[in-house]
Amino acid sequence: MKRNRRICIACLLACLMCVCPSLQAQDSLPQLPPRDRNSGPVYGSFAMQRLMKYIPVAGSMPSAFRETLENRISDPKKELFPLWKKISQMNAPVRIVHIGDSHVRGHIYPYAVRKLLEEDFGGDAVLDMKVTYGTSGLAHETGAPGIVYHILGVNGSTCSTFSTPGNIREVAGLHPDLVILSFGTNEAHGRRYSPSEHRASMDSLLSQIRRECPDAAFLLTTPPGAYVRNGRRGPRMVNPRTSLVVQTQKEYAASHGLAIWDLYDIVGGKSFACRNWNAGHYYQRDKIHFTADGYRLQGLLLHEAIIKAYNDYVETQLGGDGH
């Protein structure tokens, strides 16, 4: 009896399938949508990997600053490309050594750059230790991949006075991939400033470091601008020699194929650099050194210029023009 009932149910289902064919299969697949011809290009996995290495960066220039220039590093010979390649791969620590005068020795300006670069590219390569004027500016490495940013400034130094065997050994012992050289303020305070002597001192310092660190890249920076007294007790005036120092540095960089970040002209140059700093209350009382906010602003500006240069490198690689 049960067997006959099962046969009847099977026959009934077969009849329903014939009458309602939609019951015998799932809904038909929808057609593929038409190709979207308004979207951008579709990149392969390698190209997308490159695209993802762009680092966003915001403009840091105060809107009240007058006669400013675009905040960029000048590197026409692409001397920094090997550094950008190391950073983009980041399979080992990438070491930056920032040397200079009291602007660097104060630690605030380069420390701001250090922390921002660690956020961009990873800070696992160093211990997270706060840096102040009373501490060393040297980073404590962990051995992990990431940015290692050492700060080595000497109050009152020039390229010439920094070029001691001890300082050169200390820089070399840090094994830099990049050396940032921030001098010029004290050269400009010499009332008998000589461009030829300045060029010779830059050449001596760079040659000594290059001899000990043959694989390092170099980035020159120009001074931010300062005031001097007109006579011993006279009023302060914009230091007229700063523009000469900056011109010497730019000519030296151009003739030796070096990258340079021209902070002085970027923030207003001969006519407005000092006035812009002063109007923003970024100077200390001596009108040579800067407040904490002033130095942090300089750090933001240098970081912005570094990231723009790095992104230019990434774009070049994406376009297939790199090496």
Side-chain angles (χ1 to χ4, degrees):
M1 178 70 71
K2 290 183 180 180
R3 177 185 174 100
N4 293 336
R5 185 179 301 171
R6 288 174 185 166
I7 294 174
C8 291
I9 292 173
C11 292
L12 179 60
L13 288 175
C15 292
L16 287 173
M17 291 290 185
C18 294
V19 175
C20 304
S22 60
L23 296 178
Q24 62 184 336
Q26 66 180 26
D27 294 342
S28 58
L29 295 174
Q31 292 184 347
L32 291 176
R35 182 178 179 183
D36 181 3
R37 300 186 182 275
N38 297 316
S39 299
V42 178
Y43 295 101
S45 59
F46 177 78
M48 183 57 71
Q49 184 182 10
R50 289 293 185 185
L51 274 177
M52 295 301 289
K53 291 187 178 182
Y54 281 105
I55 303 296
V57 63
S60 304
M61 189 71 69
S63 59
F65 275 23
R66 301 173 60 187
E67 300 296 326
T68 59
L69 300 178
E70 187 177 6
N71 183 20
R72 285 193 172 274
I73 292 170
S74 174
D75 185 18
K77 300 292 186 181
K78 297 181 173 55
E79 290 296 305
L80 298 182
F81 268 38
L83 173 73
W84 307 140
K85 182 178 180 180
K86 291 177 183 177
I87 290 178
S88 70
Q89 295 173 341
M90 197 57 78
N91 50 23
V94 176
R95 300 179 179 90
I96 300 171
V97 179
H98 195 159
I99 64 176
D101 50 31
S102 56
H103 299 314
V104 175
R105 173 60 186 88
H107 291 166
I108 298 175
Y109 152 47
Y111 185 62
V113 185
R114 173 198 286 186
K115 297 307 290 182
L116 289 167
L117 290 178
E118 287 175 1
E119 289 180 13
D120 295 329
F121 301 108
D124 292 340
V126 296
L127 298 178
D128 186 13
M129 302 178 67
K130 188 171 179 58
V131 172
T132 68
Y133 187 83
T135 69
S136 169
L138 301 183
H140 296 267
E141 297 192 34
T142 65
I147 293 292
V148 179
Y149 197 115
H150 296 293
I151 304 167
L152 188 58
V154 178
N155 288 336
S157 66
T158 63
C159 284
S160 178
T161 61
F162 192 89
S163 300
T164 66
N167 285 339
I168 301 302
R169 281 196 301 270
E170 186 165 16
V171 172
L174 298 172
H175 309 290
D177 296 292
L178 171 68
V179 180
I180 303 175
L181 300 96
S182 295
F183 298 94
T185 294
N186 294 305
E187 280 88 345
H189 271 73
R191 295 188 180 276
R192 296 183 179 179
Y193 172 73
S194 166
S196 61
E197 291 180 5
H198 188 191
R199 283 192 292 270
S201 66
M202 282 192 288
D203 201 50
S204 175
L205 176 58
L206 282 160
S207 296
Q208 291 180 68
I209 297 176
R210 187 176 278 115
R211 185 164 54 247
E212 299 297 325
C213 310
D215 298 324
F218 294 89
L219 172 64
L220 302 183
T221 78
T222 63
Y227 286 78
V228 292
R229 285 198 179 276
N230 187 10
R232 284 195 171 185
R233 299 184 181 276
R236 289 188 177 90
M237 57 181 287
V238 173
N239 189 337
R241 292 178 291 277
T242 304
S243 59
L244 298 176
V245 166
V246 171
Q247 186 61 33
T248 302
Q249 290 174 315
K250 290 164 68 174
E251 290 174 354
Y252 183 88
S255 62
H256 290 76
L258 295 172
I260 186 167
W261 181 56
D262 183 10
L263 173 62
Y264 184 66
D265 285 322
I266 286 169
V267 298
K270 184 176 181 180
S271 298
F272 282 98
C274 291
R275 295 178 186 178
N276 285 335
W277 294 124
N278 194 48
H281 305 288
Y282 291 118
Y283 278 120
Q284 293 186 31
R285 290 182 62 184
D286 63 6
K287 300 290 182 74
I288 299 172
H289 299 94
F290 291 78
T291 63
D293 285 343
Y295 281 128
R296 276 191 285 268
L297 174 57
Q298 291 175 28
L300 287 171
L301 290 169
L302 177 54
H303 168 259
E304 177 189 343
I306 288 173
I307 296 303
K308 285 180 178 178
Y310 170 79
N311 284 341
D312 287 345
Y313 164 80
V314 173
E315 183 177 3
T316 300
Q317 297 304 294
L318 185 61
D321 297 328
H323 300 286

